[in-house]
Amino acid sequence: MKNDAGNLAVVPQTHKVLGEWRHESGGMFDLLADLQTTLDIAQLLQMFSEHLQASVPHEGYGFHNPLLNLDLEQGREAHHHCSYTLKLQDETLGEWRMRRDRRFSQADLEITENLLSHLLYPLRNCLRYREAVCYAHTDPLTQVGNRIALLSQIQREIDLARRHGTPFAVVFLDIDHFKAINDTHGHAAGDAVLRSVAHSVKQVVRSTDGVFRYGGEEFVVLFSHVGRRDALSLAERIRQAVAAQAHPVGEDGATLTVTVSLGLALLAPGESPMALMNRADQAMYKAKRLGRNRVAMA
C-alpha cells in the first residue's frame, strides 16, 4: 500500500488553500459548527470525513489512540494512504489515517492538513470525555470494568441476545483462599494478586467478552454468542490460565500460585440480569463446596 503523506504532525494552523476549500464545500463554518455537536469520537470522525469528501474524496479512514485503546476504521481498503499524528499543545491525540485508490496530490494533502488542524480541539474534547467515562466505569486497581459498567453492559447484551435469538452466558469467578493471602502476605500482595488474576483473565477471553470486578476478590465475565459447551470451555481456559500463572506479589520478585472457582449460568427465557447473575454466583459457591479450583454449572 502506498503511503503518500508519511507520518506528519498536525497542529493548529492556516493554509493558503482555505479559501479554495470554503468555495468547494460550502464553508468552513459548517464544518466547525458540526464538529461542536458531539462528544462521540466515532460520530465526530464520520462528520469530519463527510466534510472532507467534498474536496478530498477517499474510500476509507481510520483513527488510532493506544492510550484509550481506540482503533476505529471505516470504509474499505485502497492502494494509496496518508497518515498524520495529531498533536495539540504537546499532547498527542492519536493518528488519523486516510486511504483511496488514486494517489493523493500535494493540493489534497494541504487541504487535509488544514482541515485536520480544525479537528484538534473538538477531538481533544471527545477524548477527554471518553477518558472520564472510562474512569467512571473502570476499577482503578485491576483496570477492568467495575460494577456500574457490568450492570450497564449485561442489560445490553441480554437485549441483543433476545433480539437475535443467540445464547448468552455469565461466569462468576472467585479467588480461592484470598483472605489467607492478605493475612499471610499483606494487603499489598493481595492487591497484586487481584491485578495479576484480572490480567490473566483478559489474556484468555475473546475480545468480545466483558471482564468486570464485582467486588472484593470476585470477578464476572460475560460471554456472548456461546452455548453451554463453548461457555464451559472458555471458563475452563480461564481456570487453567490463572492456576498456571506465577502471580507477582512484590518488588523482590516473589510470586504466588493461586486458583479460582467459577460458576457458569446460561440465560434462560424471560430471566432478568440480576436473576442470571445470582444463578452464576450460586454455581460459584457450588464449585467452592466441591473442592475449589473448578468450574460448576448452574
Side-chain angles (χ1 to χ4, degrees):
M1 182 176 288
K2 181 66 173 176
N3 188 332
D4 294 315
N7 193 14
L8 306 179
V10 175
V11 297
Q13 55 190 302
T14 301
H15 284 281
K16 61 182 179 181
V17 296
L18 178 57
E20 177 184 342
W21 181 86
R22 181 185 291 116
H23 173 72
E24 292 180 358
S25 68
M28 177 67 72
F29 294 110
D30 291 340
L31 171 65
L32 296 178
D34 282 350
L35 295 183
Q36 301 300 323
T37 61
T38 183
L39 287 172
D40 181 89
I41 294 175
Q43 186 177 10
L44 178 82
L45 297 177
Q46 182 178 354
M47 288 191 298
F48 176 79
S49 172
E50 290 171 354
H51 278 277
L52 184 58
Q53 280 283 8
S55 297
V56 186
H58 49 279
E59 274 67 56
Y61 65 88
F63 177 75
H64 179 61
N65 180 305
L67 294 179
L68 291 177
N69 197 29
L70 276 171
D71 201 357
L72 306 175
E73 294 289 342
Q74 287 292 329
R76 64 173 177 82
E77 287 296 336
H79 294 296
H80 297 272
H81 77 278
C82 58
S83 62
Y84 297 89
T85 299
L86 307 181
K87 292 185 177 181
L88 182 59
Q89 298 173 349
D90 296 326
E91 178 184 357
T92 299
L93 304 180
E95 181 189 36
W96 165 266
R97 301 183 292 253
M98 193 165 64
R99 51 195 183 270
R100 72 181 189 185
D101 292 329
R102 59 188 176 89
R103 185 179 180 87
F104 290 95
S105 68
Q106 185 60 38
D108 291 331
L109 300 178
E110 289 179 354
I111 293 173
T112 300
E113 292 167 25
N114 177 68
L115 297 188
L116 281 171
S117 71
H118 296 281
L119 175 67
L120 299 182
Y121 284 99
L123 178 60
R124 185 177 67 174
N125 291 339
C126 286
L127 291 172
R128 287 182 175 176
Y129 175 75
R130 183 182 179 92
E131 185 177 23
V133 171
C134 287
Y135 282 140
H137 290 78
T138 301
D139 175 61
L141 177 63
T142 61
Q143 295 301 301
V144 299
N146 59 17
R147 190 181 295 200
I148 295 174
L150 167 65
L151 296 178
S152 175
Q153 183 163 334
I154 192 173
Q155 183 64 65
R156 291 196 302 270
E157 294 291 346
I158 288 177
D159 291 343
L160 286 172
R162 288 186 174 140
R163 185 178 306 132
H164 299 291
T166 54
F168 176 67
V170 171
V171 168
F172 256 74
L173 175 158
D174 187 89
I175 301 174
D176 296 327
H177 304 296
F178 185 72
K179 184 178 183 300
I181 295 174
N182 279 333
D183 291 345
T184 304
H185 302 280
H187 288 278
D191 288 347
V193 167
L194 287 169
R195 287 192 294 268
S196 182
V197 167
H199 177 75
S200 295
V201 174
K202 288 192 294 183
Q203 290 296 107
V204 298
V205 299
R206 304 167 304 167
S207 61
T208 55
D209 300 328
V211 182
F212 308 87
R213 185 182 179 194
Y214 193 71
E217 65 271 28
E218 279 192 333
F219 295 85
V220 175
V221 185
L222 305 182
F223 293 146
S224 58
H225 303 283
V226 292
R228 176 189 177 96
R229 180 177 177 179
D230 289 338
L232 280 169
S233 177
L234 287 167
E236 179 61 21
R237 283 179 58 191
I238 293 173
R239 187 197 67 77
Q240 293 177 359
V242 173
Q245 178 69 35
H247 300 276
V249 294
E251 296 180 357
D252 58 355
T255 61
L256 286 177
T257 299
V258 300
T259 62
V260 293
S261 299
L262 304 97
L264 172 65
L266 269 67
L267 179 66
E271 191 170 35
S272 69
M274 292 308 298
L276 174 60
M277 288 195 295
N278 184 62
R279 287 199 300 117
D281 193 30
Q282 292 304 311
M284 182 269 293
Y285 281 108
K286 176 183 176 182
K288 293 279 191 185
R289 293 193 300 270
L290 291 174
R292 298 182 173 85
N293 189 24
R294 66 191 63 218
V295 180
M297 188 79 190

